[in-house]
Structures are given as C-alpha cells and as structure tokens.
Amino acid sequence: MAFSIAEAFAPATVANLGVGFDILGMALDGMGDRAVVQFKDSPGIVISDISGDDGALPREPSENVASVSARAFLEHIGERRGISIKLSKGLPLASGLGSSAASAVVSVVALNKLAGSPFTQEELLPFCLEGEALVSGYHADNIAPCLLGGIVLVAGTAVADLQPLPVPAALMLALVTPAVPVPTNAARAILPAQVPLRQLIQQTGNVARLIDALHRGDLEALGAAIEGDQIIEPARRDLMPHLDAARAAAKSAGAIAVFIGGAGPTLCAICDNDSGAQAAAAAMEAVYQEAAMRCLAQVAAVDHRGAYCICAR
Ligand code: HSE
C-alpha cells in the first residue's frame, strides 16, 4: 500500500562503546528525531521546516543529511515525484548521541513507508549512509543501531556486515552531555594514522572480550573491556572536558564503566540498574555544574525497536 504523507521516529545512538571504534553501536530508548515526509507534484526535495536545532542545520537540500539520504533513496527507486521534509530535532547536534545518523535515518524510514515499503529496515542502510557521510564519514556504527535498535556489530558498510548482539537485561546507561560541541570530523582528524602492533593486539583482544561479555550478560566484564581502549580515548580526551572527574564521580555512585559516546562529548556510564544509573547521571551532572558548564544529564535503557514509522496516510 502506498501513502502520500508519513511520519517517522529515529532513536539516539552511541557509537564505539570504547574499544569498538567504528564497528559497534547501541540504540538508546526515549530520545530521537522525528520527520514528516510528503510527496509533492513537482520534482525535487524541499526542506519545509526544521525545529529544535536553533537554526544551526542547513536548509539547503544538498547540504542536509536528511535530504541527502532521502535523495539517494528516491534516485534508487527512480521516483519522479519530489518530496517535502519537515524535521524535528530531538537530539543535540555534534554531541555523540548520533544526531546526524538519526536525521539520515528518519527521512528514509518515512520515505520507505510512502513508497509502499519496498525495502526491509536493513536494506535502507546504503541510503542512510549517503546522508551520514556528508558530515561524519562513511561508517555505519550509528546508522545501523538507529535502524535496527539494540547493540549492533558493524563489521563493514554492507547489509551483510551487520550483526545484532545480545543486550544484557540489566544494562542501563547514565549519560551526560556537556555544552561543548565536538564535530565528528574534528574528533576524527586528531586520531593517529597508525597504531603499534602491540596496541592493535590489545584492542582486538578487548573487542573480543566485549562481544563475549555481551553473550554471557556479564556487565563487569563488559565494562572492563570497554575501558580497555588505549587508542581512541587517549587521542580524544582533551576534547572531553572533565572526563576523569566525571568518570570518577559516576563510579563513586556505582557505575561499572564510563566511555565516550561516539566522537563525544557525551559520556556514557554503564550501570546495572535504574536507580544506579540515576545516581551516576546526577554525580556526573554535579561535576559539570561545579565547573559552571551547562550539561544535559539523562538515563536511558537500550532501545530494541530502532527507527519506525509513526503514522502514514
Ligand atoms: N565511530 C565514529 C567516531 C562515531 O568515533 O568518529 C561518530 O560518528
């Protein structure tokens, strides 16, 4: 069945999980972006409105991730009609919460519904990647969990490279996002071009421990593996204000481990229950308040649904 107007939601995501740089990502329950996409008679893509971005995002369709991913979809199916996109940003920009991925995904999920659902959710990956690549590079560690929900191993950029992983039932996240934008491109530019073999072995060992811990539902082992990152966090730590103090505060409040969400500056604490996550979030928030730095502190479970169409007609 085909429709003329559809609204979709796409969740926040955190990429990397410490040691899994560019190959692991997790969807977060609750927050996310929405888009209303509508066919129009004339060709071309129009961004009719964007809210929640304080005017920061480009309205020019060739420069906006939501329209670039939608265009890739339209071109692939040979659709002649144009569309209008109304985007509601629920995620802070350049925050490490997968804001660009959510925008790239949300328009395509709505559009897939409009077109009569010719693709499965996984098959939407290449279109969404076109949008993500515009601002963040051609990697799917936010896009894949945003589409599918859960924790996803992203061994490459093809649909066949995606592997959903088990999510420990007790896993809760405490998140704090200080008000310092960290553009992904800048956070990637400071990474080392090469790493010593010794570090490679350590990193791959910790990725293996992380996957094993997920399969066994062992949050202590998961936290130890996540914090085993000796390559990415050391290179980026100066971009994350008060990282050590926030980590120490979260752990004093009972958190198991703390990692940088994607390219940052969001910090994510692994917790094993809701009240512990609330305490860890409050403890990290207090660190930034003491430093007179605005921040957003929140608690989230893992989202299991991924992006979805809210309604269509
Ligand atoms: N894996 C990416 C990075 C996530 O850390 O640069 C941000 O898009």
Side-chain angles (χ1 to χ4, degrees), residues 15-16 21-22 132 136 139 141-142 184 188 236 262-263:
N16 298 344
F21 178 71
D22 276 4
E132 176 79 321
S136 167
H139 49 92
D141 50 347
N142 289 104
T184 300
R188 293 177 84 80
R236 287 179 167 172

Side-chain angles (χ1 to χ4, degrees), residues 48-135:
S48 60
D49 186 44
I50 304 177
S51 59
D53 71 329
D54 289 329
L57 290 176
R59 271 58 179 167
E60 161 58 41
S62 64
E63 295 170 12
N64 185 290
V65 298
S67 37
V68 167
S69 59
R71 187 183 59 202
F73 181 102
L74 288 172
E75 285 178 357
H76 185 90
I77 64 168
E79 175 63 57
R80 295 228 173 137
R81 283 174 293 176
I83 55 166
S84 69
I85 301 173
K86 185 178 168 197
L87 182 63
S88 306
K89 290 298 298 176
L91 299 176
L93 312 182
S95 65
L97 289 170
S99 176
S100 58
S103 292
V105 165
V106 76
S107 59
V108 169
V109 167
L111 195 47
N112 191 41
K113 187 74 173 181
L114 280 189
S117 303
F119 300 105
T120 65
Q121 197 87 345
E122 291 95 330
E123 288 170 347
L124 300 176
L125 181 77
F127 313 122
C128 302
L129 270 171
E130 292 298 322
E132 176 79 321
L134 190 66
V135 295

